[in-house]
Structures are given as structure tokens and as C-alpha cells.
């Protein structure tokens, strides 16, 4: 048996910038911690990872990612409980999903040690940036991109994997959101990269979303590209519909992100005796359910948003408002958050202690 001793280079900051941060006034994803992890892929292998002070990359203008968008990322969070212990939520799921995304984008897989041990060491160094209290967390952004200086339209031979961290509160400040159901633009196609956390999946949403925002919608519910009939995913979230007493959500596919919050919500809902159906759901069915008064709730789920209730949806120029009575979304959110913040028993072994 070959024993491989892993190494990591660590350079700590001289002076933390934490005292210049107002933790009550955080805008999601705009403030970053003192350190970052960087690991280079060169000569066909991942090099020794480094943790160093947060700083810019130096990139050649021909870096492949700038031309062809060969980049994937993850989103995950760390939480601090009332005793000051720090926890990750299902980090192995993020690790495996990053590599599924990487494979689809012809990016070399990241070694488990670099991702998981690197992440834990990084969080250890930046632990003061995680504030206790429900709603406070550390948003963690692992990402990998093609750094080779080449405008040849082919997969690069050099990559950079990095992890940066941002202390955050909620993603949206306003509570419930209004969404537009897509009739013209599409997010993903069969056989495409919709399931992956490919950077370009998000870039392609910016224009249609900003057009929708001009009309008062915060997000778009994406529909299938062929018919614009089936409801798939909403911006940065998977989406759930409560019709009568059943929770319905689209099945994951090569078009839909295999959300870790999504699958956690499904498990929690079933454990509470709620019937969950993973099946295609159409806008026609949704509007009919609304008309009959049996569409009780709609909510999105995702790492950044956690569980986000939807106040109204709009389709073909008509708006459909939902009740503000949202017991299922609230109950599932609380059950999830209680596990994340070590406030309840974790029968699924989803929590992993960091410190
Ligand atoms: C996440 O929930 O982690 C996401 O990927 C959302 C992000 C694009 C802000």
C-alpha cells in the first residue's frame, strides 16, 4: 500500500481586517474573510494547496476561462452554535457535486483532501468571522476555473481551484418574493449543463432576470425549453409547490440542479408525514390549482436562500397571489435550520463539526 502524506502551505495574515466590518450591515457576498485557499493544476496534477491572505489572482489575458467560461463552483455554509462550535452542513455532497460539475466541463476532479481538509483549515483560521445566531453564517464559495493562457477552443491544461468565504445574513432582505414564469428565455436544455453549477448557467440568467426585475419580479421560474410549460427551477433555487397537502417538486435531471437543500427538504418533509411527489409540474396545473384554491404555498430552496416563500407568480401578463399563511415552508425551514445550527438531534448525520 502506498501511503501519501498530504501537505498544505499556510501563510496567515499579519493583521485581521475583521474590525473594519459591520456585521449588522452585510450585503450578501460582498465582504470576504482574511484568508483564501488556492491550489494549482499544472503538469497533469493538482499541486500542494496553499492557504494565504485573501488577495487578487494574477491572470494572463489569454486565460481560457475569460474566453470560454470553463468554470464551475459550489455554494455551502458554516454555522456557529450557541457554544461557539462551528459546523458544516453535508459538505461531502458539495464536494461530489463540484466534481460532477467539473467532469461535465472537462475540468480535472479536485482531490477530496484539497477540498475538505483545505476547507476545514480555512474555516479554522477564519472562525471569528462566523457569528452565532440564527440567520448568521459563513457562505463558502469553492470554485475552479481554466487558467491556461490559450485561446484555442479546447479544454485547458491548467486550472486554479480556490475557496473564499463571506460572512452573510439573508440573501433577500424583503422576506417573500414575486416571480415571473419564463415564456421566452430558457435556462437549460436536454443534454446541456443545467444540472452543473457551471458559471455560465448563472451569467445566462442575468439579462432575462434584470428585465423581469424592471417589472417588479425578483426571480424567474424557468420552464422547459421545448414548451415553456413545465416548471423547473427558480434563479438560484429549486422550487416546491404545496397543492392540497402534497409537496410537489420537479425531478432532478440533466437540466435541473441536484440541490442539497432540496434533497434535505424532501427528507425532512417525509419525516414529518408530508407526502412529497417528485414529478413534472406544469404551469397549467399550477394555475388550475390556484383557481380551485388548493395551491397553498410555493417556496424556493437553496444554500444561499435556505427556504424562501414566494408571494406571487406571474404568467402571460396575469399575476397569481398566494396566501401569506405559509406553515409548511416555515416548519421545514425551522427543522433544517435547527439541524444546521446544532439546535436539534441530527439523525441523518448531516452536520460535520469543524471546531
Ligand atoms: C447557492 O445557493 O449556493 C447558490 O448557488 C446561489 C448563488 C448563485 C448565490
Amino acid at each position: 500500500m502506498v501511503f501519501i502524506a498530504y501537505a498544505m502551505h499556510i501563510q496567515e495574515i499579519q493583521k485581521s481586517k475583521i474590525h473594519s466590518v459591520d456585521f449588522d450591515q452585510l450585503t450578501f457576498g460582498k465582504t470576504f474573510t482574511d484568508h483564501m485557499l488556492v491550489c494549482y493544476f499544472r503538469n497533469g496534477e493538482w499541486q500542494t494547496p496553499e492557504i494565504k491572505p485573501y488577495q487578487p489572482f494574477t491572470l494572463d489575458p489569454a486565460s481560457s476561462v475569460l474566453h470560454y467560461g470553463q468554470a464551475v463552483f459550489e455554494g455551502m455554509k458554516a454555522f456557529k452554535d450557541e457554544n461557539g462550535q462551528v459546523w458544516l452542513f453535508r459538505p461531502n455532497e458539495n464536494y461530489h457535486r463540484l466534481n460532477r460539475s467539473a467532469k461535465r466541463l472537462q475540468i480535472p476532479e479536485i482531490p477530496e483532501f484539497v477540498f475538505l481538509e483545505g476547507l476545514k483549515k480555512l474555516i479554522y483560521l477564519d472562525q471569528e468571522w462566523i457569528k452565532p445566531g440564527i440567520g448568521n453564517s459563513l457562505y463558502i464559495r469553492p470554485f475552479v476555473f481554466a487558467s491556461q493562457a490559450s485561446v484555442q477552443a479546447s479544454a485547458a491544461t491548467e486550472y486554479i481551484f480556490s475557496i473564499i468565504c463571506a460572512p452573510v445574513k439573508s440573501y433577500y432582505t424583503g422576506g417573500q418574493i414575486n416571480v415571473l414564469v419564463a415564456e421566452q428565455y430558457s435556462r437549460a436544455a436536454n443534454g446541456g449543463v443545467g444540472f452543473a453549477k457551471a458559471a455560465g448557467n448563472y451569467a445566462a440568467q442575468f439579462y432575462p432576470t434584470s428585465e423581469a426585475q424592471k417589472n417588479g419580479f425578483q426571480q424567474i421560474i424557468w420552464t422547459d425549453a421545448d414548451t415553456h410549460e413545465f416548471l423547473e427551477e427558480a434563479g438560484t433555487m429549486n422550487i416546491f409547490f404545496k397543492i392540497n397537502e402534497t409537496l410537489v417538486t420537479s425531478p432532478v435531471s440533466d437540466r435541473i440542479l441536484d440541490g442539497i437543500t432540496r434533497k434535505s427538504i424532501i427528507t425532512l418533509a417525509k419525516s414529518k408525514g408530508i407526502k412529497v411527489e417528485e414529478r413534472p409540474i406544469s404551469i397549467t396545473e399550477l394555475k388550475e390549482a390556484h383557481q380551485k384554491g388548493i395551491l397553498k404555498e410555493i417556496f424556493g430552496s437553496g444554500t444561499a436562500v435556505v427556504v424562501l416563500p414566494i408571494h406571487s407568480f406571474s404568467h402571460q401578463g396575469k399575476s397569481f397571489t398566494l396566501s401569506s399563511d405559509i406553515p409548511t415552508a416555515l416548519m421545514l425551514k425551522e427543522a433544517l435550520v435547527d439541524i444546521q445550527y446544532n439546535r436539534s438531534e441530527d439523525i441523518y448525520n448531516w452536520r460535520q463539526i469543524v471546531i
Side-chain angles (χ1 to χ4, degrees), residues 285-327:
E285 176 182 350
L286 197 72
K287 290 200 287 195
E288 278 172 13
H290 185 271
Q291 203 212 341
K292 288 185 198 149
I294 58 171
L295 177 60
K296 305 282 175 56
E297 298 179 42
I298 307 181
F299 59 88
S301 71
T303 300
V305 298
V306 193
V307 170
L308 185 69
I310 287 172
H311 173 65
S312 77
F313 66 95
S314 183
H315 185 243
Q316 293 178 338
K318 210 169 156 227
S319 180
F320 304 82
T321 303
L322 289 129
S323 161
S324 54
D325 187 25
I326 45 169

Side-chain angles (χ1 to χ4, degrees), residues 161-182:
F161 170 67
S162 180
I163 308 179
I164 54 173
C165 300
V168 294
K169 287 184 169 292
S170 52
Y171 191 74
Y172 289 106
T173 43
Q176 302 194 7
I177 63 164
N178 303 310
V179 294
L180 178 69
V181 177

Side-chain angles (χ1 to χ4, degrees), residues 28 73-76 97 139 141 171 197 202 236 257 302-305:
F28 188 96
F73 71 93
E74 268 304 319
M76 52 202 299
R97 191 173 62 184
Y139 184 75
R141 173 52 63 88
Y171 191 74
K197 277 187 94 74
Y202 295 78
T236 65
L257 187 80
T303 300
V305 298

Side-chain angles (χ1 to χ4, degrees), residues 158-270:
E158 292 182 4
Y159 295 86
I160 298 178
F161 170 67
S162 180
I163 308 179
I164 54 173
C165 300
V168 294
K169 287 184 169 292
S170 52
Y171 191 74
Y172 289 106
T173 43
Q176 302 194 7
I177 63 164
N178 303 310
V179 294
L180 178 69
V181 177
E183 292 168 49
Q184 179 189 359
Y185 297 106
S186 302
R187 175 187 173 276
N190 293 335
V193 297
F195 73 91
K197 277 187 94 74
N201 282 345
Y202 295 78
Q205 295 185 49
F206 296 161
Y207 173 72
T209 306
S210 76
E211 290 297 294
Q213 281 166 350
K214 287 181 195 155
N215 295 314
F217 305 106
Q218 284 78 20
Q219 283 280 356
I220 292 178
I221 296 189
W222 297 103
T223 47
D224 71 288
D226 287 341
T227 64
H228 290 298
E229 178 65 11
F230 292 95
L231 307 161
E232 303 210 315
E233 198 174 314
T236 65
M237 316 182 284
N238 294 108
I239 190 142
F240 287 85
F241 307 91
K242 186 180 171 206
I243 300 177
N244 282 321
E245 293 310 307
T246 302
L247 264 190
V248 182
T249 190
S250 335
V252 289
S253 69
D254 54 3
R255 297 189 308 272
I256 299 182
L257 187 80
D258 185 9
I260 297 159
T261 312
R262 173 190 180 277
K263 65 172 102 170
S264 307
I265 289 290
I266 292 173
T267 302
L268 290 171
K270 287 181 178 168

Side-chain angles (χ1 to χ4, degrees), residues 13-45:
I13 40 125
Q14 302 280 316
K15 189 172 181 306
S16 176
K17 58 188 183 211
I18 197 166
H19 300 295
S20 65
V21 174
D22 182 349
F23 280 80
D24 293 324
Q25 303 292 332
L26 293 168
T27 307
F28 188 96
K30 301 263 191 204
T31 304
F32 296 94
T33 61
D34 286 325
H35 297 92
M36 68 195 291
L37 179 139
V38 181
C39 188
Y40 296 92
F41 184 89
R42 287 186 193 129
N43 304 321
E45 58 189 1

Side-chain angles (χ1 to χ4, degrees), residues 114-170:
V114 174
F115 185 101
L116 289 170
E117 297 311 313
L119 173 60
K120 286 179 188 164
K121 187 71 198 168
L122 182 63
I123 294 175
Y124 178 82
L125 290 175
D126 284 341
Q127 58 183 284
E128 290 306 317
W129 291 79
I130 315 173
K131 300 297 170 197
I134 303 291
N136 296 318
S137 62
L138 188 72
Y139 184 75
I140 301 160
R141 173 52 63 88
F143 59 108
V144 52
F145 61 92
S147 54
Q148 186 194 7
S150 166
V151 294
Q152 258 185 21
S154 56
T157 56
E158 292 182 4
Y159 295 86
I160 298 178
F161 170 67
S162 180
I163 308 179
I164 54 173
C165 300
V168 294
K169 287 184 169 292
S170 52

